Amino acid sequence: MALICKSGEIRQDTETRNLHMLRATPETIHWGYFHPEIKPALRVQSGDLVMAEAVTHHAGDAPDLMMDEAITRIFTEVPEADRNPGVHIMTGPIFVEGAEPGDMLEVRYLQMTPRFNYGSNLAANWGHLYEEFDRQERVTIYALNPNTNTASAHYAYDFPGVYLTPGTITHCAECDRMPALEGISIPARPHLGTAGVAPAVGERVSTIPPGLHGGNIDNWRIGAGATMYYPVQVAGGLFSIGDPHVSQGDGEISGTAIEASLNCLFQIILRKDFSFPSPLLETPNNWIVHGFHEDLNQAMKNASLDMLKLLTEHQGLSRNDAYSLMSVAADFGVTQVVDGTKGIHVRIDRGIFPTKGVVKDPE
């Protein structure tokens, strides 16, 4: 992965400096929110590697399979009153030395390894078809096969009541467990549903909706081998990760993905040589731009305008040429419809550009 700098030369990978370990503990997580005044759990230099634990708030759906002593500490020691206004357990924040508003954090996701070989999917009260299922919530526990990198349903059960409390622990009796999806397996694609920097506001910002800071984007392509670019809003960036998944479809229609804790290795690089207004995803083959709004049509327009910006300011196309190219070569998709603020992503093949899809600095 390389980006063209102001000099016109292709910038190569930044030299690795240090490797840090960031475990998820009651002292190093913040539950349900971003905030610019959280004490950093870690301070790094540009180019440093971080091995961080991301813990799912759905571990309690199958505590015997998805919780260990360290996760139990988080669930028992962080008061329920401090799990708001969102739901996700966020590890961090990470303070990046020298990062200032207007900069970009380039986060190269290198490895994502499941902590356990189990995960949970909840057909939730916030799911898109909740009313169609007579307002009944259902948990499906999936088993992961690390040898084939697949997941298959282990058992399912009806959730008692309404799932409202982040970190709910449900002890499902053996007799309540039902078979599900027999004979079906799906590809596992571990990724982070939620990650981002602290927004520049003086109050807690919920982890549930995505936004220009990142947050709950829920794009399954944000996994190993991908790079995300987050616009820095406060000094140090204050980057956090959470909401780990092992598989999800575009839309996340039932309310959740397969929620499962992950150990994540990533490199953080401070970028002062280009800017972009929204979280930008680079995969080996594509550039992917995100648009967010409560109205899906407006989210589509926001994604379109930011892709237009990418093609004109960073690839040098005219607005007319960029608009034509978007219509004939860009693919739009619904990222998710269950996080209040809905998401649209638009991807374009990096290989169609003469510069092989590198991001150029606008003059």
Side-chain angles (χ1 to χ4, degrees), residues 1-5 9-12 106 229 271 273-274 282 287 358-360:
M1 302 175 187
L3 294 160
I4 286 185
C5 301
E9 298 177 353
I10 293 180
R11 170 186 170 274
Q12 300 301 320
E106 175 183 339
Y229 300 88
R271 301 301 306 275
D273 56 336
F274 89 104
E282 175 188 5
W287 287 109
V358 295
V359 167
K360 300 178 182 179

Side-chain angles (χ1 to χ4, degrees), residues 26 40 50 71-72 115 174-175 189 204 222 279 289 309 345 358:
V50 180
I71 292 177
T72 300
R115 184 165 175 159
E174 239 0 279
C175 59
R189 39 197 192 197
R204 291 188 176 196
I222 306 175
V289 171
K309 186 179 186 70
H345 59 270
V358 295

